[in-house]
Amino acid sequence: MIRTVSSLVAGRRVEPPATSITITNPARLDDTVAEAELGDTSTFIGACRAARDAQRAWAATPAPSRGRVVQQFGRLVEHNAEALSALITREIGKPIRESRGEVQEVVDTCNFFLSEGRRLYGQTVPSEMPDKQLFTFRTPVGVAAIVTAGNFPVAVPSWYIVPALVCGNAVVWKPAEYTPATAEAFTQLLLHAGVPAGVFSMVLADGPATFDGLEQALGGGLVDKIGFTGSTEVGRRIGELAGRHLQTPCLELGGKNPLVVMPDADLDLAVEGALFSGFGTAGQRCTSLGTVIVHADVHDDFLERFAKATDQAPIGDPTADVLYGPMISQRFCDRFETWLELVRPHHAVLGSTGIGRITAANPREGFVGDPEAGLFYHPTIVDGVRPDDDLAVTETFGPLVGVATFETFDEAMALANGHGYGLSSSIYTTDPLNVFRFRERVAAGMVSVNNSTSGAEAHLPFGGNGRSGNGSRQSGVWVLDQFTRWQAMNWDYSGHLQKAQMDVADVEADLGFRLSE
Ligand code: UN1
């Protein structure tokens, strides 16, 4: 079935479309998934205007009722989990087991936030004066514009959209242009869950139209918060734009996530972690493993086991039980090919029977299915990465894992932090001292111990530092500070003006008093 999808603004399809693009299944290029009608700058601004108009009534809806909408959304996602997972696999080639996990992440997010509608706590705070009370309230920010990537086409959007809605904001969502069918399905589920039409709109548009729309909407006072998941380069531009309007965006950007293997590590466990975090989702997660940083004493042993496990891993048809399927789309292949060029003569390449695109002429032993049918790439392990290599500092969004060696802990930390990213990280060790040293010194916002760099749970703070983001955090209670502002209220019922700091009762104290020796 070929779906025709377009922007849904205030619950209605937007006509006429500016441009139309065709989305094909990256595992079976002869399977057309969707014809997407892209909107333009005015579509985006129109959605922001609808959001502005609808937001006040939504904010006035009791928070427990907003939580109930999120509960219904979670239920609908659960009831439609299989169809949604299959659509994700068809549209971006994510292995079906991972797609199901991603859909579960949406449900988990709803389960966490549905009760937040009954909490959203403020505080009562004692005043320094009698007959006066102090209070804090969380107030919605207003209209949130959420721009997300397509590697997690439903889980990552839900991290923004669900808490934003519970907190009383209206949302304009711009999903990746290459996942329009999944975005449309997600939107239909939200609208059927009872989100009032103008409170949530989905705009399909390309990057330039979105940026232009965002710029104009900010200029017109129609957007109060931006959430963005994507590249560091675009995040920087969005940060600049938001800064001009005195806004702090929520930025979730790239990563060059290190996995440190200490000499005392369980090597088989480390190999399992490296295999999943390096090659799961074909390496197309922001949390994917960048470089394994392995102690010289165990380097050869680790590398041999890692290369063997990678050689033997099933790769191919994402509807089967494979480690990974195709790249998300042609543009991901094009970028990945430029990163493969960063392999230098002093590197050793392992992990497969070839490098680059898997074809009949460049086959992969044990490939599952027909490699010519889709956009499949060999897994590539690059050993001998040095701190000053391009590969040590460049995020390579695809099935490529670097391996570097260290002697001292300082060298390991220089490799782990030297690229300036700070999203996720991992250490394999059996010594707690190494764990705490690593936690303290790594720049990453997220640290795994004896676990993969990817696969964060949906209720811990998710986010990074440096080139990975501006310190904002998503998920759990931490994201509430992104979608609400604290309002402080004081109420004086003394019947006269009591001036803070000036009319405060003095405490008599004998400060000259000393205990006798
Ligand atoms: C992303 O790639 O942008 O922790 C998010 C993980 C997933 C989310 C990744 N739960 O790997």
Side-chain angles (χ1 to χ4, degrees):
M1 169 186 154
I2 303 177
R3 293 155 197 259
T4 303
V5 291
S6 42
S7 304
L8 284 164
V9 174
R12 284 190 299 276
R13 287 172 74 105
V14 178
E15 328 258 356
T19 348
S20 179
I21 56 169
T22 302
I23 306 299
T24 50
N25 177 342
R28 286 177 36 213
L29 296 169
D30 59 357
D31 172 29
T32 300
V33 180
E35 298 291 346
E37 297 165 341
L38 298 189
D40 55 17
T41 305
S42 65
T43 317
F44 190 88
I45 298 170
C48 295
R49 199 164 285 124
R52 176 61 84 223
D53 291 345
Q55 192 262 332
R56 202 187 286 263
W58 180 241
T61 305
S65 302
R66 300 195 302 252
R68 180 106 175 108
V69 170
V70 161
Q71 180 181 29
Q72 308 294 33
F73 175 56
R75 282 185 178 164
L76 267 180
V77 172
E78 263 184 313
H79 294 325
N80 289 277
E82 213 34 53
L84 190 58
S85 307
L87 183 57
I88 294 170
T89 293
R90 188 169 164 226
E91 192 163 45
I92 60 164
K94 186 175 279 202
I96 186 67
R97 200 154 169 263
E98 282 192 39
S99 296
R100 290 184 185 124
E102 160 151 17
V103 170
Q104 184 57 42
E105 203 164 336
V106 179
V107 177
D108 295 346
T109 299
C110 291
N111 285 349
F112 184 87
F113 284 106
L114 68 92
S115 303
E116 204 49 51
R118 291 189 181 272
R119 282 186 297 263
L120 275 186
Y121 296 142
Q123 293 117 333
T124 56
V125 181
S127 166
E128 61 194 32
M129 284 166 292
D131 292 335
K132 186 180 175 192
Q133 280 294 337
L134 311 180
F135 308 86
T136 66
F137 296 86
R138 282 191 183 275
T139 57
V141 174
V143 173
I146 306 301
V147 180
T148 50
N151 59 336
F152 275 83
V154 295
V156 170
S158 78
W159 294 353
Y160 291 102
I161 293 166
V162 168
L165 291 175
V166 168
C167 291
N169 302 282
V171 176
V172 175
W173 177 39
K174 204 298 276 186
E177 316 79 289
Y178 49 86
T179 60
T182 306
E184 207 245 5
F186 183 94
T187 303
Q188 291 293 358
L189 292 171
L190 256 179
L191 295 177
H192 282 87
V195 178
V199 170
F200 180 80
S201 292
M202 186 272 287
V203 175
L204 293 176
D206 64 15
T210 306
F211 196 83
D212 210 26
L214 207 46
E215 197 162 21
Q216 291 189 41
L218 282 162
L222 297 175
V223 168
D224 306 292
K225 181 86 190 178
I226 304 170
F228 172 74
T229 294
S231 71
T232 303
E233 187 195 345
V234 176
R236 196 169 271 138
R237 291 189 58 206
I238 288 190
E240 282 169 7
L241 176 61
R244 261 186 265 147
H245 294 272
L246 305 179
Q247 291 187 17
T248 51
C250 184
L251 300 176
E252 203 261 274
L253 311 177
K256 184 73 186 174
N257 309 300
L259 184 150
V260 172
V261 182
M262 297 302 288
D264 54 29
D266 175 337
L267 290 189
D268 285 331
L269 193 64
V271 164
E272 227 183 316
L275 191 69
F276 177 64
S277 51
F279 299 117
T281 329
Q284 301 165 111
R285 293 189 185 208
C286 59
T287 51
S288 290
L289 168 60
T291 310
V292 182
I293 302 167
V294 56
H295 192 274
D297 288 356
V298 289
H299 169 271
D300 294 355
D301 198 358
F302 171 83
L303 189 67
E304 194 190 320
R305 297 186 208 197
F306 184 33
K308 187 170 167 211
T310 308
D311 274 325
Q312 292 175 350
I315 289 165
D317 177 2
T319 63
D321 190 11
V322 291
L323 176 61
Y324 70 86
M327 301 296 280
I328 293 172
S329 71
Q330 186 60 45
R331 81 184 215 203
F332 285 77
C333 302
D334 297 344
R335 286 189 315 177
F336 185 61
E337 301 227 353
T338 68
W339 291 318
L340 283 175
E341 287 166 17
L342 301 180
V343 178
R344 300 278 178 259
H346 67 267
H347 295 141
V349 174
L350 303 96
S352 198
T353 40
I355 181 166
R357 179 117 177 233
I358 305 173
T359 58
N362 183 21
R364 155 104 182 158
E365 206 175 298
F367 187 85
V368 181
D370 172 15
E372 301 271 351
L375 307 171
F376 298 96
Y377 277 73
H378 285 279
T380 306
I381 299 171
V382 181
D383 184 39
V385 171
R386 300 175 187 154
D388 52 354
D389 282 350
D390 288 331
L391 268 187
V393 296
T394 310
E395 181 184 29
T396 51
F397 215 70
L400 190 160
V401 173
V403 178
T405 315
F406 72 95
E407 299 270 359
T408 67
F409 198 70
D410 282 348
E411 281 169 13
M413 293 316 301
L415 279 156
N417 292 333
H419 38 68
Y421 288 98
L423 187 62
S424 182
S425 63
S426 163
I427 185 166
Y428 279 79
T429 182
T430 46
D431 183 349
L433 192 65
N434 292 331
V435 172
F436 284 102
R437 274 199 189 140
F438 182 71
R439 185 211 69 73
E440 213 170 270
R441 290 182 56 183
V442 77
M446 297 177 287
V447 182
S448 293
V449 182
N450 295 328
N451 190 18
S452 153
T453 56
S454 60
E457 296 187 35
H459 51 284
L460 260 194
F462 188 103
N465 307 313
R467 293 168 78 187
S468 296
N470 58 349
S472 56
R473 294 291 180 265
Q474 295 177 275
S475 297
V477 290
W478 299 272
V479 75
L480 297 177
D481 287 335
Q482 294 295 323
F483 291 113
T484 56
R485 299 231 166 96
W486 283 111
Q487 184 181 54
M489 183 174 97
N490 73 84
W491 184 346
D492 191 321
Y493 44 94
S494 67
H496 56 275
L497 179 65
Q498 304 189 89
K499 300 190 201 78
Q501 295 91 39
M502 289 174 263
D503 295 338
V504 179
D506 236 355
V507 176
E508 293 288 326
D510 173 12
L511 293 177
F513 173 75
R514 297 291 178 274
L515 293 170
S516 51
E517 301 204 345

